[in-house]
Amino acid sequence: MTDISHSQVDLSTGISMHVAEAGAGPAVVFCHGFPELWYSWRHQLPVVAEAGFRAIAPDMRGYGGTDAPPNAEDYTQERICADMVALLDALEIESAVFVGHDWGGAVVWNMAQHHPSRCNAVAGINTPAGRRPPINPLDAMKMDPGRFDYQLYFQDEGVAEAELGGDVRRTMTLMLRTSKPEDRLDVIGMTSGVRDRGGLLVGLPDDAERSIMLTEEDLNTFVSAFEQTGFRGGLNWYRNHGLNWEWGAAVDGRDITQPALMVTAGKDGVLLPSMTEGMEDWIPNLSRGHIEQCGHWTQQEEPEELNRILVDWLKSL
């Protein structure tokens, strides 16, 4: 199996970024979501490298070994995409394929629209690409929170930080779980009514067993990282809906013309497959993959199936 190497890269955006990579060839950049790390792509990097690509997975801004600036407005999509451009520059890569999951999915679709010359092709794992909405998404959430109530809970600085950071091992044990019956607890299915409950993990056990998708070493890797950094950096990504929406005006109505892949997961309780309906209308070169028996953490829950879909698509480019 191809070895994964690690480096610390100084970016022109003013932050130092921890980067894991494997292989040589055309570049594929993997962007993780919340609350994760480059390590979420541990099953993909060696396989994509062995398929003939240079697989690159940074700890995104605010996470792990990458710097975490102090202010919420340091985490706009504009700044995070600028990090990705700066990463390509630092690694002397002209353009890359971008693959993203969860918040990382938002990053890669934004790269395709805002930085098309640096993004050859784009793949969203669970995260759909959506047209710019008519109003600030935060205002829309306030009118009808539904399963996005957790994002409103995340808006008050310090509140979710205290809850999630109070017992990091419990937080990561409860959050990183599969959709399989053996894992029993479904935090992703409890994202509505969070503010009324008084917290995302309120009412869940203190002594849950770790998920079947994680080894003890896997869980320890996530726990030790977040014990060091806390959750503020990752939570700040949620605090820029308005600024992100304003930034989107510059490309409103612009189609994504690069080759694209959308992989949906049938058991994701937040990023529903139905949210991807209509993407073909403005992403004409869209391919699709679907994993029915899979929850939110697709690249860790069903790595072999995702790798098959991803490598087949990469080789077709």
Side-chain angles (χ1 to χ4, degrees):
M1 194 61 93
T2 306
D3 287 338
I4 297 172
S5 64
H6 296 267
S7 59
Q8 205 66 30
V9 182
D10 291 330
L11 303 185
S12 59
T13 50
I15 67 170
S16 174
M17 178 168 274
H18 168 245
V19 179
E21 60 175 300
V28 182
V29 178
F30 292 88
C31 300
H32 69 77
F34 176 86
E36 297 185 85
L37 301 164
W38 79 267
Y39 193 75
S40 301
W41 301 105
R42 65 194 175 279
H43 301 297
Q44 283 69 47
L45 295 185
V47 172
V48 170
E50 291 191 353
F53 298 89
R54 181 179 180 183
I56 301 165
D59 280 336
M60 303 296 283
R61 174 182 285 243
Y63 289 94
T66 293
D67 287 346
N71 301 316
E73 58 269 25
D74 293 322
Y75 295 85
T76 62
Q77 286 290 296
E78 183 175 8
R79 291 197 175 192
I80 292 161
C81 286
D83 288 342
M84 295 298 98
V85 172
L87 177 62
L88 295 185
D89 290 344
L91 299 179
E92 299 184 340
I93 296 169
E94 187 63 37
S95 58
V97 178
F98 280 87
V99 180
H101 169 260
D102 189 79
W103 262 117
V107 174
V108 303
W109 294 120
N110 279 322
M111 285 296 297
Q113 273 200 301
H114 289 267
H115 300 283
S117 67
R118 309 306 296 270
C119 178
N120 294 332
V122 56
I125 314 302
N126 297 48
T127 310
R131 286 287 200 189
R132 182 173 183 261
I135 63 169
N136 180 340
L138 192 63
D139 294 334
M141 280 181 212
K142 287 175 180 173
M143 289 187 277
D144 182 17
R147 66 185 186 280
F148 293 103
D149 190 65
Y150 74 100
Q151 297 205 16
L152 297 175
Y153 170 66
F154 286 171
Q155 295 306 307
D156 293 329
E157 291 190 39
V159 176
E161 284 91 332
E163 183 197 4
L164 301 180
D167 184 343
V168 174
R169 184 167 294 276
R170 174 176 180 261
T171 294
M172 301 312 290
T173 300
L174 290 172
M175 289 196 71
L176 296 179
R177 307 189 76 79
T178 72
S179 61
K180 309 291 189 284
E182 305 94 291
D183 265 349
R184 288 189 298 281
L185 297 166
D186 181 17
V187 176
I188 301 299
M190 296 175 56
T191 56
S192 57
V194 171
R195 290 173 297 165
D196 288 343
R197 289 204 309 273
L200 182 63
L201 306 178
V202 169
L204 290 168
D206 291 332
D207 56 353
E209 294 179 11
R210 80 178 139 79
S211 170
I212 57 173
M213 76 181 178
L214 303 175
T215 65
E216 192 67 23
E217 181 188 6
D218 293 338
L219 180 59
N220 288 340
T221 298
F222 286 107
V223 171
S224 62
F226 284 97
E227 282 179 345
Q228 289 175 0
T229 64
F231 292 87
R232 182 181 295 276
L235 288 164
N236 277 337
W237 286 51
Y238 291 90
R239 295 168 178 156
N240 288 286
H241 284 299
L243 291 173
N244 294 341
W245 180 70
E246 290 170 16
W247 183 53
V251 295
D252 194 12
R254 180 184 296 175
D255 288 355
I256 292 174
T257 56
Q258 297 97 321
L261 172 67
M262 181 69 235
V263 181
T264 46
K267 306 301 182 192
D268 190 330
V270 174
L271 298 175
L272 311 179
S274 60
M275 295 169 66
T276 71
E277 289 170 9
M279 283 175 55
E280 281 84 355
D281 295 345
W282 61 290
I283 308 176
N285 297 310
L286 184 68
S287 302
R288 285 184 178 268
H290 180 71
I291 309 174
E292 179 58 30
Q293 298 302 325
C294 185
H296 182 68
W297 314 102
T298 303
Q299 67 270 56
Q300 301 184 78
E301 181 175 347
E302 293 293 341
E304 291 179 4
E305 183 62 11
L306 178 61
N307 290 347
R308 183 190 65 75
I309 294 168
L310 198 54
V311 168
D312 285 351
W313 175 73
L314 287 169
K315 286 183 171 179
S316 76
L317 297 175

